[in-house]
Amino acid sequence: MGSDERRVGASVVAEALRIAGRERRPVFGSAVMAGAAALLVGGGTVAAGFAASWGLFLAARRDAEFSIANEDSYVAYADQWNSLVKVAFGVYPLLLLVAVVLVAWLLTAQAVIAAYARERVASGADAATAPGALTLRALWCRSRTHLGAALRVQLLTLLCVLVPGLAGLLVLAAIQLELVPGVVWPTYHDPATVQFVLVGRILPVVIWTLGFVLLTRFSLATAVRVADSCSATAAMRRSWTLTRTARLRTTGVCLLGTVAVVAAFMVLKWLGTYVAHRAGLLMLATTDDNVWVTGVLVIITPVAVALLLLPLALAPVGVLLACLRERLDDGAGEVGEARAPSGALAG
């Protein structure tokens, strides 16, 4: 990345930080709304999954206690595994849908907030006409007309990213099943061969990198939709066009946002282990020391806590993407590229 690209990228980050600080109440208020919705809907979905699996957990405990009493070996959930997998296949798609909806809301809200912040700056010279603070109610009113298209953008983007994501996993599965000639999964006694490193390590990473590239190219689509009120497919095409001439800058900004979100997730997951400990003790006390259901709860609780609080990190990233969209759109206008008017917000 050249010095000009670095300076522009740094200015975009600085602008996003200024907006997130100045408009912190709607920025983080929208994140709290997303977390509350995730707690209600996602938590209810997980609770329903536990309720559907309750008999399976009790059966696993009976089987284990019977085997231990007879001094036999046993495998955890041996007779319940297939049924637990069926429940998981019902719960995971619902949780993924909840996540997609909430990401659509967060990106839409942050694009609206970024446009509103620029509107305040533009009219700030006249205190009589300068808009006041953006309330959550006003934010919802400004955002709701864009949510349908934003949701379609997220679903289409997810579909595009899933293709290389699943392709990389398919390569690993094919190696594990010994379907790739000359490539053998390494064991304790057989170290990794050159063929395995190339096919089993480098090739999946290359495929997944393609998925990340697609994600960056479509990352501005929601902000484009808010600015131009266009359709989901038109917003994705515009995002692709804008990022085509600024690949390094877009990749750098998206990589910075990804690193920030991943770091926040890891910290929140670590903090969630303390919640998991308390939740595990409570589950043991209420289920007469059923370690089978308690073990599952302790495993998923740190991840659940991290996901519930992750919108607090995603919200500033949404502002960053909105600022990048505005900067690239301005640059496109300067070089004479045809573009629809942006920044118009219904009041």
Side-chain angles (χ1 to χ4, degrees):
M1 185 182 295
S3 59
D4 291 340
E5 290 275 352
R6 286 195 296 269
R7 282 196 296 269
V8 173
S11 65
V12 170
V13 173
E15 181 185 3
L17 291 175
R18 284 195 300 269
I19 293 176
R22 191 184 318 121
E23 308 291 339
R24 56 186 176 275
R25 296 183 71 175
V27 168
F28 294 105
S30 62
V32 171
M33 290 175 61
L39 179 61
L40 291 176
V41 182
T45 302
V46 173
F50 268 96
S53 306
W54 198 257
L56 301 174
F57 291 126
L58 296 180
R61 177 179 182 172
R62 287 194 299 267
D63 292 348
E65 290 177 345
F66 181 80
S67 298
I68 293 172
N70 289 279
E71 298 182 353
D72 295 330
S73 61
Y74 67 93
V75 177
Y77 310 111
D79 297 327
Q80 296 80 27
W81 182 252
N82 290 335
S83 298
L84 288 172
V85 169
K86 292 179 182 178
V87 174
F89 272 111
V91 171
Y92 286 161
L94 293 176
L95 294 179
L96 182 60
L97 179 60
V98 171
V100 170
V101 172
L102 294 182
V103 169
W105 154 251
L106 281 173
L107 294 182
T108 301
Q110 308 321 310
V112 169
I113 293 169
Y116 184 83
R118 289 188 295 271
E119 180 183 315
R120 290 185 67 180
V121 171
S123 59
D126 186 355
T129 60
L134 185 64
T135 64
L136 289 179
R137 181 181 179 84
L139 176 61
W140 168 253
C141 291
R142 289 173 178 247
S143 302
R144 62 184 178 184
T145 57
H146 303 290
L147 289 178
L151 179 58
R152 290 191 290 274
V153 166
Q154 298 309 313
L155 290 174
L156 291 173
T157 302
L158 178 63
L159 182 62
C160 293
V161 173
L162 276 179
V163 172
L166 294 177
L169 293 177
L170 184 61
V171 171
L172 296 178
I175 296 174
Q176 184 71 42
L177 296 174
E178 299 181 356
L179 298 178
V180 182
V183 180
V184 179
W185 201 277
T187 63
Y188 180 77
H189 299 288
D190 299 318
T193 61
V194 175
Q195 294 90 334
F196 175 80
V197 172
L198 293 175
V199 179
R201 291 289 181 261
I202 297 178
L203 180 59
V205 171
V206 171
I207 296 174
W208 291 331
T209 301
L210 174 61
F212 180 76
V213 171
L214 292 175
L215 184 63
T216 61
R217 297 298 299 274
F218 294 130
S219 61
L220 308 184
T222 302
V224 170
R225 157 65 197 187
V226 172
D228 299 342
S229 296
C230 54
S231 66
T233 52
M236 295 181 73
R237 287 196 299 269
R238 180 62 181 167
S239 176
W240 187 274
T241 300
L242 288 174
T243 56
R244 181 178 57 198
T245 56
R247 292 187 180 93
L248 293 179
R249 189 191 316 171
T250 303
T251 301
V253 170
C254 290
L255 189 60
L256 176 63
T258 301
V259 170
V261 170
V262 171
F265 177 82
M266 298 304 296
V267 172
L268 293 172
K269 183 180 176 182
W270 171 71
L271 294 175
T273 58
Y274 295 95
V275 180
H277 176 70
R278 299 293 183 182
L281 293 177
L282 181 60
M283 182 62 76
L284 286 174
T286 56
T287 59
D288 192 22
D289 294 335
N290 189 329
V291 297
W292 307 100
V293 64
T294 301
V296 175
L297 179 66
V298 170
I299 290 174
I300 69 173
T301 296
V303 177
V305 171
L307 292 178
L308 288 175
L309 298 177
L310 198 59
L312 296 174
L314 285 172
V317 173
V319 177
L320 178 63
L321 294 177
C323 292
L324 178 61
R325 195 280 318 164
E326 181 70 17
R327 188 62 59 89
L328 294 181
D329 230 353
D330 290 343
E334 291 172 0
V335 298
E337 182 180 332
R339 58 184 290 268
S342 63
L345 289 174

